[in-house]
Amino acid sequence: MTADLTQIESLRGARGQTPPEPAAAPKIDAQGRSYATGKRKNAVARVWLRPGSGKVVVNGRRYQEYFARPVLQMLINQPFIAAGRDGQYDAKCTVSGGGLSGQAGAVRHGISRALTFYEPTLRGALKSGGFLTRDARVVERKKYGKAKARRSFQFSKR
C-alpha cells in the first residue's frame, strides 16, 4: 500500500513536465542530397539539394533563364535568405504543370522542404516565414448551367 502511494506521489511531480522531443535526423541519400516535392496550383516540382556554391538549375537551365521575371527569381531565393544559407546549397529542380508563377511557387516550396530535410534545425525559421505551408488555392471547377465556374450566361428577356 505504501509503495503504491509513493508511486502516485512521484507521478504527480512529473505531471507538468513533458519529455524533450528528439532532434529530427537529416534525410540525406547516398549521394549526399536531400529530396523534396513542392506543389503550387497545378505545378509540381521535384527538388534535390546538396551543399555547393548556390547554383539553382530548373529543367536543365539556370533559374535566371527559366524564370525571366525578377519577381519569380526573388521568390526562389527567399527560402535560402530566410534560413541564412544563401549561396551554400546547389539545387536541381524538375518542374511540370501549371504556368510560370505556379512553377516558381512549387520550386520555392520544394526548396524549403528540402532545406528542412537536410538541416532540421532550419524548420522554425522557414515555418515562421510561411515557406513550408502548401498554398492550397487551385482553380475552381466549371459547373453545369454556368459559362465558367461562377459566371452565368447573359440574360435576355426576348
Side-chain angles (χ1 to χ4, degrees):
M1 179 80 178
T2 57
D4 292 338
L5 288 176
T6 55
Q7 278 184 325
I8 291 171
E9 289 299 320
S10 66
L11 289 176
R12 275 194 196 146
R15 182 186 308 160
Q17 301 169 356
T18 58
E21 291 186 25
K27 297 177 184 173
I28 302 172
D29 64 5
Q31 286 85 26
R33 307 173 300 184
S34 64
Y35 169 79
T37 305
K39 295 182 180 181
R40 169 84 167 93
K41 293 186 178 179
N42 280 336
V44 179
R46 300 182 303 161
V47 178
W48 289 270
L49 201 69
R50 67 176 183 201
S53 59
K55 188 170 68 170
V56 178
V57 177
V58 179
N59 289 350
R61 297 190 295 188
R62 290 190 357 255
Y63 81 99
Q64 293 94 340
E65 295 171 9
Y66 193 83
F67 299 111
R69 284 189 276 166
V71 174
L72 300 180
Q73 294 175 14
M74 179 200 65
L75 208 67
I76 289 171
N77 280 325
Q78 281 179 338
F80 293 120
I81 294 168
R85 301 291 188 269
D86 195 23
Q88 295 181 19
Y89 286 99
D90 289 343
K92 183 178 181 232
C93 314
T94 59
V95 64
S96 63
L100 280 179
S101 176
Q103 287 185 352
V107 170
R108 179 180 93 156
H109 186 230
I111 288 173
S112 303
R113 290 185 64 196
L115 270 171
T116 60
F117 291 153
Y118 206 92
E119 286 188 61
T121 55
L122 298 177
R123 181 170 173 81
L126 292 171
K127 190 154 180 68
S128 65
F131 300 117
L132 297 177
T133 306
R134 195 263 201 240
D135 193 351
R137 296 176 294 172
V138 292
V139 177
E140 191 174 347
R141 80 171 190 87
K142 183 194 177 302
K143 279 74 168 192
Y144 62 90
K146 297 280 187 178
K148 294 167 73 175
R150 298 184 181 207
R151 171 142 172 40
S152 300
F153 293 109
Q154 183 171 346
F155 175 75
S156 173
K157 200 169 206 176
R158 345 182 190 276

